[in-house]
């Protein structure tokens, strides 16, 4: 299957893992849905490696070339019924650490417009967690002599605790799909921090470096593709092969495992979890001390919200005017202002309202936004396969702009929502064509700004639809 991945090392990982019963059941549900030819939803969140930066293969989009896309296609191939529909969304974003993703995790975990949760969640912030400070602000923040394993562990624990509570039926795979540069100690401490959290909560964890036949380095052409941060297509193939091996070994192992709670094999429950008549007991006590863990929480009380569904319920005129006031409370602000051109609030599809512009080019919508001590911004918008334009996101008086791409990065002929979660405190702004770059504007803590969304049309591409915007 792979010339660099060791099947024995993967088997060893499975033997040592102790998945909590709820996670065992979640993986079994996915397997059963595949066998019955039912739909399986795969969601991938992480950094630029997971997003597929540097992965190039003719006929495939970046998302499809990336290892989560390859693994999703492999899952579809295992189905006993040809009608199986494995859908896959990649929400990887360059420069994002685990801590950077936490504030807007609620939005990031939503699977399009559906009420259904993802069946499989792949999480991989490995490279960024290894080399960047959690919640880093400038490029200087990650130029340190050693990684901070306590912060990596605390951020990972914050994510795991939220996911297990919010998505109790979702099978979770924590992945660290990176090699080390020249500092194996930095790699090891980051890996061990995540491994400890995964073991404590009974969640699957796979480290690419632990599954290889030999030590992995960035200059390893076969395992990584050369001395580059973003690996080549071959590495994504090997990482997917590791996941495939784990999947097969896990189900072979659990088929023969002792009852839950006996032994140390994959069928055993993690420390502290027991079945009760009411279901699962509360999560295990945190490994991280409360003071540190409190700094790595999910934003459940946004500092500003622009929700078209709420705006529609307030029965305001569908045609927006620049005179429509924003409410006094930034948290409850429901209406942006039209600064120029044309933007309207309506449902272009039943039950799916949004702020929509179809031109002219340069039509601009303004939002009063406010931020907390850790400034974050989440934008939800539609992506389609044709006719959709881009939009430029900027802040008044702040250099730089980030373009939201209205056309899908893959070949699927459907219209779906896209979520961009930004650590706007970062001072680094990238604008990759695929929309996965870092989106930092150097926004200061507790600041208030005017944010602008400007339509960028092109021939046959005139429409942009904003579905939701929130600050934290």
């Amino acid at each position: 299957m792979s010339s660099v991945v060791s099947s024995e090392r993967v088997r060893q990982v499975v033997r040592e893992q102790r998945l909590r019963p709820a996670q065992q059941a979640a993986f079994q549900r996915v397997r059963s849905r595949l066998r019955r030819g039912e739909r399986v939803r795969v969601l991938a969140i992480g950094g630029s490696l997971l997003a597929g930066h540097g992965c190039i293969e003719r006929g495939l989009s970046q998302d499809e070339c990336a290892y989560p896309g390859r693994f999703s296609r492999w899952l579809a191939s295992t189905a006993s019924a040809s009608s199986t529909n494995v859908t896959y969304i990649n929400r990887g974003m360059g420069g994002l650490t685990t801590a950077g993703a936490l504030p807007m995790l609620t939005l990031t975990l939503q699977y399009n417009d559906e009420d259904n949760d993802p069946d499989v969640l792949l999480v991989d912030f490995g490279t960024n967690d290894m080399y960047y400070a959690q919640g880093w602000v400038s490029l200087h923040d990650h130029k340190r002599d050693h990684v901070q394993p306590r912060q990596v562990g605390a951020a990972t624990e914050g994510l795991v605790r939220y996911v297990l509570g919010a998505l109790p039926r979702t099978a979770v795979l924590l992945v660290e799909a990176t090699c080390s540069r020249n500092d194996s100690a930095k790699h090891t401490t980051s890996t061990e921090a995540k491994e400890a959290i995964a073991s404590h909560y009974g969640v699957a964890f796979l480290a690419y470096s632990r599954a290889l036949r030999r030590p992995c380095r960035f200059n390893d052409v076969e395992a990584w593709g050369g001395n580059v941060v973003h690996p080549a297509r071959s590495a994504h193939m090997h990482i997917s092969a590791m996941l495939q091996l784990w999947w097969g070994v896990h189900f072979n192992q659990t088929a023969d495992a002792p009852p839950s709670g006996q032994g140390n094999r994959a069928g055993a429950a993690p420390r502290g979890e027991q079945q009760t008549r009411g279901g699962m007991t509360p999560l295990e006590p945190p490994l991280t001390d409360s003071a540190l863990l409190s700094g790595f929480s999910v934003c459940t009380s946004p500092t500003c919200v622009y929700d078209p569904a709420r705006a529609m319920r307030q029965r305001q005129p569908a045609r927006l005017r620049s005179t429509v006031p924003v409410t006094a409370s930034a948290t409850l602000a429901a209406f942006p202002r039209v600064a120029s051109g044309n933007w309207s609030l309506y449902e272009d599809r039943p039950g799916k309202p949004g702020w929509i512009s179809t031109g002219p080019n340069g039509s601009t919508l303004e939002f009063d936004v406010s931020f907390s001590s850790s400034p974050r911004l989440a934008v939800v918008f539609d992506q389609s396969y044709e006719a959709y334009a881009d939009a430029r996101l900027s802040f008044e008086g702040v250099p730089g702009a980030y373009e939201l791409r209205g056309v899908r990065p893959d070949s699927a002929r459907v219209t779906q929502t896209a979520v961009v979660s930004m650590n706007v405190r970062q001072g680094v702004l990238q604008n990759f064509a695929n929309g996965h770059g870092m989106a930092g504007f150097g926004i200061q803590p507790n600041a208030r700004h005017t944010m602008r969304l400007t339509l960028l049309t092109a021939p046959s591409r005139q429409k942009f639809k904003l579905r939701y915007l929130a600050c934290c």
Side-chain angles (χ1 to χ4, degrees):
M1 178 179 285
S2 170
S3 59
V4 301
V5 175
S6 166
S7 58
E8 180 52 40
R9 285 177 176 265
V10 174
R11 290 190 183 92
Q12 182 64 25
V13 169
V14 175
R15 285 195 293 267
E16 294 175 355
Q17 281 181 343
R18 303 167 61 196
L19 299 190
R20 65 192 307 114
Q23 280 297 294
Q24 291 182 43
F27 280 106
Q28 289 289 353
R29 274 193 297 273
V30 174
R31 190 188 196 195
S32 296
R33 292 178 71 88
L34 289 169
R35 285 177 168 176
R36 294 194 299 266
E38 297 175 355
R39 186 177 182 186
V40 171
R41 303 164 183 83
V42 179
L43 176 62
I45 63 173
S48 55
L49 194 161
L50 173 136
H53 286 186
C55 189
I56 301 173
E57 183 171 340
R58 187 173 182 179
L60 296 181
S61 68
Q62 179 177 286
D63 289 351
E64 293 166 339
C65 185
Y67 78 81
R70 296 177 182 276
F71 178 61
S72 298
R73 293 194 296 277
W74 177 82
L75 283 180
S77 73
T78 66
S80 57
S82 59
S83 60
T84 295
N85 181 13
V86 176
T87 59
Y88 153 65
I89 295 177
N90 190 318
R91 293 206 173 120
M93 192 165 185
L96 202 60
T97 61
T98 299
L102 284 176
M104 294 304 178
L105 193 61
T106 301
L107 283 174
T108 306
L109 294 177
Q110 290 181 1
Y111 201 90
N112 287 327
D113 308 320
E114 306 163 1
D115 293 331
N116 297 303
D117 294 328
D119 299 294
V120 180
L121 176 66
L122 290 172
V123 181
D124 182 6
F125 297 95
T127 301
N128 297 327
D129 284 347
M130 195 177 301
Y131 294 103
Y132 296 165
Q134 295 296 315
W136 62 285
V137 173
S138 71
L139 284 174
H140 298 288
D141 287 346
H142 75 277
K143 294 179 179 178
R144 304 183 176 187
D145 294 331
H146 62 281
V147 73
Q148 296 179 299
R150 290 184 68 245
Q151 282 72 17
V152 171
T156 303
E157 185 161 20
L159 183 145
V160 168
R161 290 182 68 86
Y162 181 83
V163 168
L164 291 179
L167 304 176
R169 295 175 60 84
T170 297
V172 181
L173 266 170
L174 302 182
V175 183
E176 194 174 76
T178 189
C179 288
S180 66
R181 289 177 176 172
N182 298 317
D183 187 355
S184 59
K186 181 180 290 189
H187 192 153
T188 301
T189 52
S190 175
T191 304
E192 289 177 345
K194 294 183 177 183
E195 195 170 43
I197 298 301
S199 176
H200 183 66
Y201 290 98
V203 175
F205 174 70
L206 284 167
Y208 184 47
S209 60
R210 300 274 179 89
L212 298 178
R213 300 178 188 274
R214 60 179 182 272
C216 184
R217 297 287 184 270
F218 276 7
N219 60 1
D220 188 322
V221 174
E222 187 176 13
W224 195 250
N227 193 19
V228 292
V229 174
H230 299 127
R233 174 182 66 98
S234 58
H236 285 271
M237 295 172 67
H238 294 312
I239 298 165
S240 175
M242 172 189 71
L243 296 176
Q244 296 168 32
L245 272 169
W246 179 91
W247 189 273
V249 173
H250 167 77
F251 283 111
N252 287 337
Q253 185 87 1
T254 52
D256 301 324
S260 178
Q262 298 181 20
N264 293 323
R265 303 179 71 183
R271 183 177 60 257
E273 181 174 70
Q274 297 176 351
Q275 284 286 137
T276 67
R277 280 184 292 180
M280 303 309 299
T281 57
L283 293 175
E284 295 76 12
L287 280 182
T288 307
D289 66 80
S290 58
L292 181 58
L293 187 60
S294 65
F296 298 99
S297 59
V298 176
C299 180
T300 56
S301 300
T303 52
C304 75
V305 172
Y306 288 89
D307 182 356
R310 177 191 296 171
M312 293 284 285
R313 290 194 296 269
Q314 292 182 3
R315 299 181 181 179
Q316 294 287 344
R319 178 69 62 176
L320 296 177
R321 302 186 302 272
S322 59
T323 56
V324 174
V326 174
T327 57
S329 170
T331 301
L332 299 178
F335 290 91
R337 300 178 295 274
V338 175
S340 64
N342 169 48
W343 286 85
S344 299
L345 172 63
Y346 63 95
E347 294 181 350
D348 58 345
R349 291 184 290 166
K352 302 184 186 303
W355 284 291
I356 301 171
S357 180
T358 55
N361 184 55
S363 294
T364 299
L365 203 56
E366 289 186 341
F367 304 79
D368 290 332
V369 295
S370 58
F371 296 99
S372 67
S373 58
S374 180
R376 300 292 190 273
L377 180 73
V379 184
V380 183
F381 59 100
D382 273 0
Q383 283 187 327
S384 191
Y385 54 96
E386 61 182 2
Y388 274 61
D390 299 335
R392 182 175 62 243
L393 188 154
S394 61
F395 292 88
E396 184 178 24
V398 178
Y402 186 81
E403 292 187 9
L404 304 171
R405 311 294 182 178
V407 174
R408 296 177 61 95
D410 56 26
S411 57
R413 296 182 65 81
V414 294
T415 299
Q416 293 179 318
T417 54
V419 179
V420 174
S421 181
M422 307 177 184
N423 176 0
V424 293
R425 178 73 174 96
Q426 291 178 172
V428 178
L429 180 67
Q430 297 174 330
N431 229 135
F432 298 143
N434 48 49
H436 289 301
M438 286 177 275
F441 292 88
I443 300 296
Q444 295 301 304
N446 305 307
R448 290 175 176 266
H449 283 275
T450 297
M451 195 205 85
R452 294 192 175 109
L453 197 64
T454 303
L455 183 70
L456 304 175
T457 63
S460 74
R461 295 176 55 206
Q462 304 289 321
K463 178 181 178 179
F464 189 88
K465 180 179 180 180
L466 177 69
R467 298 289 299 278
Y468 191 87
L469 185 143
C471 323
C472 198

